[in-house]
PDB file of all heavy atoms in Angstrom:
ATOM      1  N   VAL A  23     -84.812  20.996  29.811  1.00 99.00           N
ATOM      2  CA  VAL A  23     -83.348  21.153  29.806  1.00 99.00           C
ATOM      3  C   VAL A  23     -82.726  19.758  29.720  1.00 99.00           C
ATOM      4  O   VAL A  23     -82.701  19.032  30.724  1.00 99.00           O
ATOM      5  CB  VAL A  23     -82.840  21.870  31.082  1.00 99.00           C
ATOM      6  CG1 VAL A  23     -81.320  22.084  30.986  1.00 99.00           C
ATOM      7  CG2 VAL A  23     -83.552  23.188  31.304  1.00 99.00           C
ATOM      8  N   PRO A  24     -82.224  19.367  28.531  1.00 99.00           N
ATOM      9  CA  PRO A  24     -81.569  18.055  28.444  1.00 99.00           C
ATOM     10  C   PRO A  24     -80.163  18.116  29.044  1.00 99.00           C
ATOM     11  O   PRO A  24     -79.388  19.016  28.703  1.00 99.00           O
ATOM     12  CB  PRO A  24     -81.481  17.789  26.930  1.00 99.00           C
ATOM     13  CG  PRO A  24     -82.341  18.825  26.273  1.00 99.00           C
ATOM     14  CD  PRO A  24     -82.349  20.003  27.213  1.00 99.00           C
ATOM     15  N   THR A  25     -79.836  17.175  29.921  1.00 98.00           N
ATOM     16  CA  THR A  25     -78.495  17.113  30.520  1.00 98.00           C
ATOM     17  C   THR A  25     -78.048  15.658  30.674  1.00 98.00           C
ATOM     18  O   THR A  25     -78.869  14.743  30.592  1.00 98.00           O
ATOM     19  CB  THR A  25     -78.416  17.746  31.930  1.00 98.00           C
ATOM     20  OG1 THR A  25     -78.913  16.800  32.899  1.00 98.00           O
ATOM     21  CG2 THR A  25     -79.193  19.036  32.039  1.00 98.00           C
ATOM     22  N   MET A  26     -76.753  15.515  30.959  1.00 98.00           N
ATOM     23  CA  MET A  26     -76.234  14.193  31.322  1.00 98.00           C
ATOM     24  C   MET A  26     -75.939  14.149  32.825  1.00 98.00           C
ATOM     25  O   MET A  26     -75.208  13.271  33.293  1.00 98.00           O
ATOM     26  CB  MET A  26     -74.978  13.878  30.520  1.00 98.00           C
ATOM     27  CG  MET A  26     -75.264  13.846  29.005  1.00 98.00           C
ATOM     28  SD  MET A  26     -74.116  12.844  28.074  1.00 98.00           S
ATOM     29  CE  MET A  26     -72.586  13.688  28.420  1.00 98.00           C
ATOM     30  N   GLY A  27     -76.462  15.107  33.576  1.00 98.00           N
ATOM     31  CA  GLY A  27     -76.258  15.100  35.024  1.00 98.00           C
ATOM     32  C   GLY A  27     -74.901  15.646  35.423  1.00 98.00           C
ATOM     33  O   GLY A  27     -74.238  16.328  34.634  1.00 98.00           O
ATOM     34  N   ALA A  28     -74.485  15.338  36.672  1.00 97.00           N
ATOM     35  CA  ALA A  28     -73.285  15.948  37.270  1.00 97.00           C
ATOM     36  C   ALA A  28     -73.426  17.471  37.167  1.00 97.00           C
ATOM     37  O   ALA A  28     -72.533  18.171  36.672  1.00 97.00           O
ATOM     38  CB  ALA A  28     -72.003  15.444  36.618  1.00 97.00           C
ATOM     39  N   LEU A  29     -74.553  17.942  37.637  1.00 98.00           N
ATOM     40  CA  LEU A  29     -74.962  19.334  37.410  1.00 98.00           C
ATOM     41  C   LEU A  29     -74.070  20.321  38.163  1.00 98.00           C
ATOM     42  O   LEU A  29     -73.742  20.113  39.333  1.00 98.00           O
ATOM     43  CB  LEU A  29     -76.420  19.527  37.827  1.00 98.00           C
ATOM     44  CG  LEU A  29     -77.432  18.600  37.134  1.00 98.00           C
ATOM     45  CD1 LEU A  29     -78.854  18.897  37.619  1.00 98.00           C
ATOM     46  CD2 LEU A  29     -77.356  18.710  35.621  1.00 98.00           C
ATOM     47  N   HIS A  30     -73.672  21.387  37.448  1.00 98.00           N
ATOM     48  CA  HIS A  30     -72.867  22.456  38.033  1.00 98.00           C
ATOM     49  C   HIS A  30     -73.559  23.781  37.756  1.00 98.00           C
ATOM     50  O   HIS A  30     -74.681  23.804  37.230  1.00 98.00           O
ATOM     51  CB  HIS A  30     -71.439  22.407  37.477  1.00 98.00           C
ATOM     52  CG  HIS A  30     -71.390  22.325  35.976  1.00 98.00           C
ATOM     53  ND1 HIS A  30     -71.886  23.318  35.163  1.00 98.00           N
ATOM     54  CD2 HIS A  30     -70.946  21.345  35.136  1.00 98.00           C
ATOM     55  CE1 HIS A  30     -71.726  22.989  33.899  1.00 98.00           C
ATOM     56  NE2 HIS A  30     -71.163  21.779  33.844  1.00 98.00           N
ATOM     57  N   GLU A  31     -72.854  24.872  38.057  1.00 98.00           N
ATOM     58  CA  GLU A  31     -73.471  26.202  37.906  1.00 98.00           C
ATOM     59  C   GLU A  31     -73.885  26.500  36.461  1.00 98.00           C
ATOM     60  O   GLU A  31     -74.806  27.281  36.234  1.00 98.00           O
ATOM     61  CB  GLU A  31     -72.533  27.297  38.410  1.00 98.00           C
ATOM     62  CG  GLU A  31     -72.346  27.311  39.926  1.00 98.00           C
ATOM     63  CD  GLU A  31     -73.640  27.616  40.689  1.00 98.00           C
ATOM     64  OE1 GLU A  31     -74.432  28.438  40.218  1.00 98.00           O
ATOM     65  OE2 GLU A  31     -73.854  26.997  41.745  1.00 98.00           O
ATOM     66  N   GLY A  32     -73.197  25.911  35.498  1.00 98.00           N
ATOM     67  CA  GLY A  32     -73.559  26.103  34.088  1.00 98.00           C
ATOM     68  C   GLY A  32     -74.936  25.510  33.812  1.00 98.00           C
ATOM     69  O   GLY A  32     -75.816  26.155  33.235  1.00 98.00           O
ATOM     70  N   HIS A  33     -75.123  24.259  34.240  1.00 98.00           N
ATOM     71  CA  HIS A  33     -76.444  23.629  34.107  1.00 98.00           C
ATOM     72  C   HIS A  33     -77.490  24.433  34.876  1.00 98.00           C
ATOM     73  O   HIS A  33     -78.619  24.612  34.410  1.00 98.00           O
ATOM     74  CB  HIS A  33     -76.432  22.213  34.684  1.00 98.00           C
ATOM     75  CG  HIS A  33     -75.533  21.246  33.995  1.00 98.00           C
ATOM     76  ND1 HIS A  33     -74.394  20.750  34.582  1.00 98.00           N
ATOM     77  CD2 HIS A  33     -75.601  20.661  32.771  1.00 98.00           C
ATOM     78  CE1 HIS A  33     -73.810  19.899  33.759  1.00 98.00           C
ATOM     79  NE2 HIS A  33     -74.517  19.828  32.649  1.00 98.00           N
ATOM     80  N   ALA A  35     -77.706  27.531  35.405  1.00 98.00           N
ATOM     81  CA  ALA A  35     -78.147  28.731  34.680  1.00 98.00           C
ATOM     82  C   ALA A  35     -79.284  28.352  33.722  1.00 98.00           C
ATOM     83  O   ALA A  35     -80.287  29.074  33.604  1.00 98.00           O
ATOM     84  CB  ALA A  35     -76.977  29.344  33.921  1.00 98.00           C
ATOM     85  N   LEU A  36     -79.133  27.215  33.039  1.00 98.00           N
ATOM     86  CA  LEU A  36     -80.177  26.757  32.107  1.00 98.00           C
ATOM     87  C   LEU A  36     -81.451  26.390  32.880  1.00 98.00           C
ATOM     88  O   LEU A  36     -82.567  26.745  32.479  1.00 98.00           O
ATOM     89  CB  LEU A  36     -79.698  25.520  31.337  1.00 98.00           C
ATOM     90  CG  LEU A  36     -78.876  25.713  30.064  1.00 98.00           C
ATOM     91  CD1 LEU A  36     -77.553  26.398  30.315  1.00 98.00           C
ATOM     92  CD2 LEU A  36     -78.625  24.376  29.370  1.00 98.00           C
ATOM     93  N   GLN A  57     -73.696   8.909  22.242  1.00 98.00           N
ATOM     94  CA  GLN A  57     -72.851  10.052  21.874  1.00 98.00           C
ATOM     95  C   GLN A  57     -71.417   9.906  22.360  1.00 98.00           C
ATOM     96  O   GLN A  57     -70.609  10.815  22.204  1.00 98.00           O
ATOM     97  CB  GLN A  57     -73.470  11.368  22.334  1.00 98.00           C
ATOM     98  CG  GLN A  57     -73.464  11.611  23.823  1.00 98.00           C
ATOM     99  CD  GLN A  57     -74.268  12.850  24.189  1.00 98.00           C
ATOM    100  OE1 GLN A  57     -75.495  12.852  24.115  1.00 98.00           O
ATOM    101  NE2 GLN A  57     -73.584  13.917  24.569  1.00 98.00           N
ATOM    102  N   TYR A  67     -68.223   8.291  33.540  1.00 96.00           N
ATOM    103  CA  TYR A  67     -68.865   9.617  33.615  1.00 96.00           C
ATOM    104  C   TYR A  67     -69.578   9.746  34.967  1.00 96.00           C
ATOM    105  O   TYR A  67     -70.284   8.824  35.396  1.00 96.00           O
ATOM    106  CB  TYR A  67     -69.877   9.770  32.464  1.00 96.00           C
ATOM    107  CG  TYR A  67     -70.241  11.215  32.198  1.00 96.00           C
ATOM    108  CD1 TYR A  67     -69.452  12.007  31.378  1.00 96.00           C
ATOM    109  CD2 TYR A  67     -71.363  11.789  32.785  1.00 96.00           C
ATOM    110  CE1 TYR A  67     -69.761  13.344  31.148  1.00 96.00           C
ATOM    111  CE2 TYR A  67     -71.689  13.119  32.561  1.00 96.00           C
ATOM    112  CZ  TYR A  67     -70.888  13.891  31.743  1.00 96.00           C
ATOM    113  OH  TYR A  67     -71.197  15.209  31.521  1.00 96.00           O
ATOM    114  N   TYR A 140     -83.683  24.309  26.321  1.00 99.00           N
ATOM    115  CA  TYR A 140     -82.533  25.147  26.698  1.00 99.00           C
ATOM    116  C   TYR A 140     -81.218  24.395  26.483  1.00 99.00           C
ATOM    117  O   TYR A 140     -81.071  23.250  26.931  1.00 99.00           O
ATOM    118  CB  TYR A 140     -82.671  25.566  28.164  1.00 99.00           C
ATOM    119  CG  TYR A 140     -83.866  26.469  28.371  1.00 99.00           C
ATOM    120  CD1 TYR A 140     -85.152  25.928  28.420  1.00 99.00           C
ATOM    121  CD2 TYR A 140     -83.722  27.840  28.474  1.00 99.00           C
ATOM    122  CE1 TYR A 140     -86.256  26.753  28.571  1.00 99.00           C
ATOM    123  CE2 TYR A 140     -84.817  28.673  28.626  1.00 99.00           C
ATOM    124  CZ  TYR A 140     -86.086  28.127  28.671  1.00 99.00           C
ATOM    125  OH  TYR A 140     -87.179  28.945  28.811  1.00 99.00           O
ATOM    126  N   PHE A 141     -80.274  25.069  25.811  1.00 99.00           N
ATOM    127  CA  PHE A 141     -78.963  24.490  25.548  1.00 99.00           C
ATOM    128  C   PHE A 141     -77.888  25.526  25.846  1.00 99.00           C
ATOM    129  O   PHE A 141     -78.122  26.738  25.715  1.00 99.00           O
ATOM    130  CB  PHE A 141     -78.845  24.055  24.078  1.00 99.00           C
ATOM    131  CG  PHE A 141     -79.761  22.904  23.726  1.00 99.00           C
ATOM    132  CD1 PHE A 141     -81.067  23.139  23.316  1.00 99.00           C
ATOM    133  CD2 PHE A 141     -79.331  21.591  23.839  1.00 99.00           C
ATOM    134  CE1 PHE A 141     -81.925  22.082  23.023  1.00 99.00           C
ATOM    135  CE2 PHE A 141     -80.179  20.524  23.540  1.00 99.00           C
ATOM    136  CZ  PHE A 141     -81.474  20.781  23.129  1.00 99.00           C
ATOM    137  N   GLY A 142     -76.694  25.047  26.199  1.00 98.00           N
ATOM    138  CA  GLY A 142     -75.589  25.952  26.525  1.00 98.00           C
ATOM    139  C   GLY A 142     -74.717  26.232  25.312  1.00 98.00           C
ATOM    140  O   GLY A 142     -74.377  25.312  24.556  1.00 98.00           O
ATOM    141  N   LEU A 143     -74.321  27.492  25.151  1.00 98.00           N
ATOM    142  CA  LEU A 143     -73.440  27.875  24.042  1.00 98.00           C
ATOM    143  C   LEU A 143     -72.032  27.315  24.198  1.00 98.00           C
ATOM    144  O   LEU A 143     -71.240  27.350  23.267  1.00 98.00           O
ATOM    145  CB  LEU A 143     -73.384  29.403  23.926  1.00 98.00           C
ATOM    146  CG  LEU A 143     -74.628  30.025  23.287  1.00 98.00           C
ATOM    147  CD1 LEU A 143     -74.616  31.538  23.490  1.00 98.00           C
ATOM    148  CD2 LEU A 143     -74.699  29.681  21.802  1.00 98.00           C
ATOM    149  N   LYS A 144     -71.715  26.797  25.387  1.00 98.00           N
ATOM    150  CA  LYS A 144     -70.399  26.168  25.559  1.00 98.00           C
ATOM    151  C   LYS A 144     -70.214  25.090  24.495  1.00 98.00           C
ATOM    152  O   LYS A 144     -69.129  24.922  23.962  1.00 98.00           O
ATOM    153  CB  LYS A 144     -70.286  25.558  26.944  1.00 98.00           C
ATOM    154  CG  LYS A 144     -69.072  24.686  27.055  1.00 98.00           C
ATOM    155  CD  LYS A 144     -68.739  24.329  28.462  1.00 98.00           C
ATOM    156  CE  LYS A 144     -67.485  23.500  28.496  1.00 98.00           C
ATOM    157  NZ  LYS A 144     -67.665  22.195  27.843  1.00 98.00           N
ATOM    158  N   ASP A 145     -71.290  24.354  24.213  1.00 98.00           N
ATOM    159  CA  ASP A 145     -71.243  23.321  23.174  1.00 98.00           C
ATOM    160  C   ASP A 145     -71.801  23.932  21.891  1.00 98.00           C
ATOM    161  O   ASP A 145     -72.913  23.606  21.458  1.00 98.00           O
ATOM    162  CB  ASP A 145     -72.048  22.105  23.632  1.00 98.00           C
ATOM    163  CG  ASP A 145     -71.465  21.506  24.893  1.00 98.00           C
ATOM    164  OD1 ASP A 145     -70.416  20.872  24.808  1.00 98.00           O
ATOM    165  OD2 ASP A 145     -72.041  21.720  25.990  1.00 98.00           O
ATOM    166  N   GLN A 148     -72.985  21.766  19.023  1.00 98.00           N
ATOM    167  CA  GLN A 148     -74.219  21.059  19.405  1.00 98.00           C
ATOM    168  C   GLN A 148     -75.433  21.968  19.195  1.00 98.00           C
ATOM    169  O   GLN A 148     -76.480  21.528  18.706  1.00 98.00           O
ATOM    170  CB  GLN A 148     -74.113  20.626  20.866  1.00 98.00           C
ATOM    171  CG  GLN A 148     -75.367  20.026  21.450  1.00 98.00           C
ATOM    172  CD  GLN A 148     -75.095  19.391  22.797  1.00 98.00           C
ATOM    173  OE1 GLN A 148     -74.575  18.277  22.847  1.00 98.00           O
ATOM    174  NE2 GLN A 148     -75.419  20.062  23.877  1.00 98.00           N
ATOM    175  N   CYS A 149     -75.288  23.265  19.554  1.00 98.00           N
ATOM    176  CA  CYS A 149     -76.385  24.222  19.344  1.00 98.00           C
ATOM    177  C   CYS A 149     -76.719  24.312  17.862  1.00 98.00           C
ATOM    178  O   CYS A 149     -77.893  24.343  17.471  1.00 98.00           O
ATOM    179  CB  CYS A 149     -75.999  25.607  19.862  1.00 98.00           C
ATOM    180  SG  CYS A 149     -75.825  25.680  21.652  1.00 98.00           S
ATOM    181  N   VAL A 168     -77.984  29.596  26.005  1.00 98.00           N
ATOM    182  CA  VAL A 168     -77.545  30.328  27.201  1.00 98.00           C
ATOM    183  C   VAL A 168     -76.017  30.450  27.193  1.00 98.00           C
ATOM    184  O   VAL A 168     -75.310  29.467  26.922  1.00 98.00           O
ATOM    185  CB  VAL A 168     -78.023  29.570  28.476  1.00 98.00           C
ATOM    186  CG1 VAL A 168     -77.575  30.277  29.746  1.00 98.00           C
ATOM    187  CG2 VAL A 168     -79.542  29.400  28.446  1.00 98.00           C
ATOM    188  N   GLU A 169     -75.528  31.654  27.488  1.00 98.00           N
ATOM    189  CA  GLU A 169     -74.079  31.915  27.438  1.00 98.00           C
ATOM    190  C   GLU A 169     -73.349  31.065  28.499  1.00 98.00           C
ATOM    191  O   GLU A 169     -73.925  30.696  29.526  1.00 98.00           O
ATOM    192  CB  GLU A 169     -73.827  33.421  27.634  1.00 98.00           C
ATOM    193  CG  GLU A 169     -72.438  33.907  27.279  1.00 98.00           C
ATOM    194  CD  GLU A 169     -71.890  33.413  25.922  1.00 98.00           C
ATOM    195  OE1 GLU A 169     -72.136  34.054  24.888  1.00 98.00           O
ATOM    196  OE2 GLU A 169     -71.177  32.383  25.932  1.00 98.00           O
ATOM    197  N   THR A 170     -72.108  30.757  28.211  1.00 98.00           N
ATOM    198  CA  THR A 170     -71.290  29.869  29.059  1.00 98.00           C
ATOM    199  C   THR A 170     -71.051  30.455  30.447  1.00 98.00           C
ATOM    200  O   THR A 170     -70.653  31.620  30.568  1.00 98.00           O
ATOM    201  CB  THR A 170     -69.933  29.630  28.353  1.00 98.00           C
ATOM    202  OG1 THR A 170     -70.206  29.126  27.054  1.00 98.00           O
ATOM    203  CG2 THR A 170     -69.062  28.657  29.119  1.00 98.00           C
ATOM    204  N   VAL A 171     -71.235  29.629  31.450  1.00 98.00           N
ATOM    205  CA  VAL A 171     -70.928  30.025  32.826  1.00 98.00           C
ATOM    206  C   VAL A 171     -69.504  29.552  33.134  1.00 98.00           C
ATOM    207  O   VAL A 171     -69.137  28.413  32.821  1.00 98.00           O
ATOM    208  CB  VAL A 171     -71.930  29.405  33.820  1.00 98.00           C
ATOM    209  CG1 VAL A 171     -71.567  29.761  35.259  1.00 98.00           C
ATOM    210  CG2 VAL A 171     -73.348  29.860  33.488  1.00 98.00           C
ATOM    211  N   ARG A 172     -68.718  30.446  33.741  1.00 98.00           N
ATOM    212  CA  ARG A 172     -67.301  30.180  33.978  1.00 98.00           C
ATOM    213  C   ARG A 172     -66.945  30.257  35.461  1.00 98.00           C
ATOM    214  O   ARG A 172     -67.603  30.974  36.219  1.00 98.00           O
ATOM    215  CB  ARG A 172     -66.439  31.215  33.221  1.00 98.00           C
ATOM    216  CG  ARG A 172     -66.674  31.180  31.751  1.00 98.00           C
ATOM    217  CD  ARG A 172     -65.892  32.216  30.964  1.00 98.00           C
ATOM    218  NE  ARG A 172     -66.262  32.054  29.559  1.00 98.00           N
ATOM    219  CZ  ARG A 172     -65.763  31.118  28.764  1.00 98.00           C
ATOM    220  NH1 ARG A 172     -64.823  30.303  29.218  1.00 98.00           N
ATOM    221  NH2 ARG A 172     -66.182  30.992  27.520  1.00 98.00           N
ATOM    222  N   LEU A 177     -62.223  29.556  33.487  1.00 98.00           N
ATOM    223  CA  LEU A 177     -62.438  28.187  32.990  1.00 98.00           C
ATOM    224  C   LEU A 177     -63.933  27.912  32.832  1.00 98.00           C
ATOM    225  O   LEU A 177     -64.715  28.112  33.768  1.00 98.00           O
ATOM    226  CB  LEU A 177     -61.816  27.184  33.980  1.00 98.00           C
ATOM    227  CG  LEU A 177     -62.036  25.710  33.669  1.00 98.00           C
ATOM    228  CD1 LEU A 177     -61.376  25.296  32.357  1.00 98.00           C
ATOM    229  CD2 LEU A 177     -61.500  24.833  34.814  1.00 98.00           C
ATOM    230  N   ALA A 178     -64.323  27.471  31.642  1.00 98.00           N
ATOM    231  CA  ALA A 178     -65.732  27.123  31.404  1.00 98.00           C
ATOM    232  C   ALA A 178     -66.094  25.927  32.273  1.00 98.00           C
ATOM    233  O   ALA A 178     -65.369  24.925  32.299  1.00 98.00           O
ATOM    234  CB  ALA A 178     -65.934  26.779  29.935  1.00 98.00           C
ATOM    235  N   LEU A 179     -67.197  26.030  33.019  1.00 98.00           N
ATOM    236  CA  LEU A 179     -67.594  24.914  33.872  1.00 98.00           C
ATOM    237  C   LEU A 179     -67.980  23.728  32.997  1.00 98.00           C
ATOM    238  O   LEU A 179     -68.599  23.886  31.952  1.00 98.00           O
ATOM    239  CB  LEU A 179     -68.767  25.324  34.758  1.00 98.00           C
ATOM    240  CG  LEU A 179     -68.475  26.460  35.738  1.00 98.00           C
ATOM    241  CD1 LEU A 179     -69.681  26.699  36.635  1.00 98.00           C
ATOM    242  CD2 LEU A 179     -67.247  26.159  36.596  1.00 98.00           C
ATOM    243  N   SER A 180     -67.575  22.545  33.441  1.00 97.00           N
ATOM    244  CA  SER A 180     -67.875  21.317  32.705  1.00 97.00           C
ATOM    245  C   SER A 180     -67.871  20.165  33.702  1.00 97.00           C
ATOM    246  O   SER A 180     -67.061  20.158  34.632  1.00 97.00           O
ATOM    247  CB  SER A 180     -66.805  21.086  31.640  1.00 97.00           C
ATOM    248  OG  SER A 180     -66.808  19.732  31.223  1.00 97.00           O
ATOM    249  N   SER A 181     -68.745  19.197  33.480  1.00 93.00           N
ATOM    250  CA  SER A 181     -68.778  18.023  34.370  1.00 93.00           C
ATOM    251  C   SER A 181     -67.439  17.297  34.320  1.00 93.00           C
ATOM    252  O   SER A 181     -67.050  16.636  35.277  1.00 93.00           O
ATOM    253  CB  SER A 181     -69.888  17.070  33.943  1.00 93.00           C
ATOM    254  OG  SER A 181     -71.109  17.769  33.867  1.00 93.00           O
ATOM    255  N   ARG A 182     -66.729  17.427  33.186  1.00 93.00           N
ATOM    256  CA  ARG A 182     -65.453  16.721  33.037  1.00 93.00           C
ATOM    257  C   ARG A 182     -64.305  17.436  33.759  1.00 93.00           C
ATOM    258  O   ARG A 182     -63.211  16.862  33.863  1.00 93.00           O
ATOM    259  CB  ARG A 182     -65.112  16.533  31.562  1.00 93.00           C
ATOM    260  CG  ARG A 182     -66.042  15.512  30.896  1.00 93.00           C
ATOM    261  CD  ARG A 182     -65.610  15.189  29.476  1.00 93.00           C
ATOM    262  NE  ARG A 182     -66.319  14.046  28.936  1.00 93.00           N
ATOM    263  CZ  ARG A 182     -67.334  14.119  28.067  1.00 93.00           C
ATOM    264  NH1 ARG A 182     -67.770  15.292  27.661  1.00 93.00           N
ATOM    265  NH2 ARG A 182     -67.926  13.020  27.624  1.00 93.00           N
TER     266      ARG A 182
HETATM  267  P1  AMP B   1     -74.215  18.099  29.441  1.00 82.38           P
HETATM  268  O1  AMP B   1     -74.741  17.606  30.753  1.00 82.38           O
HETATM  269  O2  AMP B   1     -72.744  18.242  29.378  1.00 82.38           O
HETATM  270  O3  AMP B   1     -74.811  17.340  28.271  1.00 82.38           O
HETATM  271  O4  AMP B   1     -74.779  19.580  29.305  1.00 82.38           O
HETATM  272  C1  AMP B   1     -76.153  19.846  29.372  1.00 82.38           C
HETATM  273  C2  AMP B   1     -76.393  21.250  28.880  1.00 82.38           C
HETATM  274  O5  AMP B   1     -75.715  22.166  29.727  1.00 82.38           O
HETATM  275  C3  AMP B   1     -75.843  21.459  27.452  1.00 82.38           C
HETATM  276  O6  AMP B   1     -76.769  22.241  26.720  1.00 82.38           O
HETATM  277  C4  AMP B   1     -74.564  22.209  27.717  1.00 82.38           C
HETATM  278  O7  AMP B   1     -74.176  23.035  26.637  1.00 82.38           O
HETATM  279  C5  AMP B   1     -74.932  23.041  28.928  1.00 82.38           C
HETATM  280  N1  AMP B   1     -73.721  23.467  29.647  1.00 82.38           N
HETATM  281  C6  AMP B   1     -72.658  22.698  30.010  1.00 82.38           C
HETATM  282  N2  AMP B   1     -71.700  23.447  30.596  1.00 82.38           N
HETATM  283  C7  AMP B   1     -72.161  24.723  30.597  1.00 82.38           C
HETATM  284  C8  AMP B   1     -71.627  25.968  31.051  1.00 82.38           C
HETATM  285  N3  AMP B   1     -70.434  26.054  31.627  1.00 82.38           N
HETATM  286  N4  AMP B   1     -72.379  27.075  30.896  1.00 82.38           N
HETATM  287  C9  AMP B   1     -73.611  27.013  30.315  1.00 82.38           C
HETATM  288  N5  AMP B   1     -74.164  25.862  29.862  1.00 82.38           N
HETATM  289  C10 AMP B   1     -73.452  24.727  29.993  1.00 82.38           C
END
Side-chain angles (χ1 to χ4, degrees):
V23 183
T25 80
M26 299 205 299
L29 303 181
H30 50 63
E31 290 296 323
H33 296 111
L36 274 63
Q57 71 188 72
Y67 199 85
Y140 294 78
F141 293 87
L143 284 168
K144 169 166 182 295
D145 298 286
Q148 173 169 281
C149 292
V168 179
E169 194 47 88
T170 305
V171 177
R172 300 178 181 280
L177 176 64
L179 297 184
S180 161
S181 306
R182 290 187 169 102

